[in-house]
Amino acid sequence: MASADTPASQRVGEVVQASSTSFATQCYQLYHSPPLGALVRAGSPGVYGVVYLVSTQPLEPSRPVLARGEGAATEEEVYQNNPQIARLLTSRFEALIVGHQSNGDSLQFLPPLPPRVHSFVYPCPPVEVVAFTSRLDFLTLVVSSGLAGADEVVGACLRQVAAAHPDRRGFLLRAGRALATELAGDVARLSTILRRVAP
């Protein structure tokens, strides 16, 4: 499923930084990032990533964010009274690369090259999520990533993915077995992740 087939209206942003293992995306709209654990696709042929960090920050690091709501009754009022805020802030997210497209196939290992800067980034629709996660090899890349909070990311990813599968329970059972194999020597960590998956 190439990115060219996805309507432009579904783009959430563009790659602004990339490496062999991850890419960062600047969102087109403030606070319009895919959630933690979401599966996203960048570029063409597509590179798949799992969102592991979402942030909102000043567009210019030299201009720190200042509190503006002392006299406001609601948070919405702060934005209404300060319309410039949307032009001073940006939302970004970072995604761990978990696979890529090659000759029409979805492969669950790192691509030869990361997505190019300014590649368009799309949240994967449910049908693409189901197709990509029909195999669970990508979990190895997340579990062994060394990311701070990797277990939280795995839990969030599996909750997101399970919601797209028609047989949610069946998918979670398969995922649990895959994690049990991956973490056979670390029962405590396995238990922690499983509690995150089905709280």
Side-chain angles (χ1 to χ4, degrees):
M1 196 175 294
S3 59
D5 298 333
T6 308
S9 61
Q10 293 181 13
R11 294 178 198 154
V12 291
E14 295 175 25
V15 173
V16 293
Q17 186 176 346
S19 72
S20 293
T21 58
S22 66
F23 58 88
T25 301
Q26 182 175 343
C27 298
Y28 292 136
Q29 297 184 49
L30 190 62
Y31 303 125
H32 280 227
S33 169
L36 182 71
L39 185 68
V40 296
R41 176 175 32 82
S44 180
V47 173
Y48 290 100
V50 171
V51 175
Y52 71 85
L53 180 67
V54 179
S55 64
T56 298
Q57 57 201 46
L59 269 170
E60 297 181 30
S62 61
R63 299 183 65 175
V65 178
L66 304 175
R68 297 177 182 272
E70 184 176 3
T74 66
E75 293 173 9
E76 289 76 17
E77 192 176 318
V78 176
Y79 285 85
Q80 291 169 359
N81 294 341
N82 298 275
Q84 74 280 11
I85 288 177
R87 295 189 301 274
L88 299 176
L89 300 176
T90 183
S91 292
R92 295 168 55 115
F93 63 88
E94 296 183 37
L96 182 73
I97 295 175
V98 294
H100 63 286
Q101 297 171 334
S102 178
N103 298 320
D105 295 324
S106 292
L107 308 174
Q108 296 190 0
F109 53 86
L110 295 178
L113 294 169
R116 297 188 306 173
V117 169
H118 294 298
S119 292
F120 297 140
V121 182
Y122 303 84
C124 293
V127 65
E128 190 171 6
V129 171
V130 170
F132 183 78
T133 59
S134 61
R135 290 177 40 242
L136 295 166
D137 298 343
F138 76 95
L139 288 175
T140 300
L141 289 170
V142 186
V143 169
S144 63
S145 65
L147 289 173
D151 294 353
E152 296 291 341
V153 175
V154 172
C157 177
L158 291 177
R159 291 193 304 272
Q160 294 275 334
V161 169
H165 279 262
D167 182 8
R168 180 181 184 277
R169 179 175 167 75
F171 170 77
L172 289 177
L173 286 172
R174 281 197 307 115
R177 286 194 292 268
L179 286 171
T181 300
E182 186 69 29
L183 296 171
D186 194 343
V187 175
R189 187 178 180 197
L190 174 63
S191 297
T192 298
I193 294 174
L194 292 179
R195 285 196 299 271
R196 301 296 189 272
V197 173

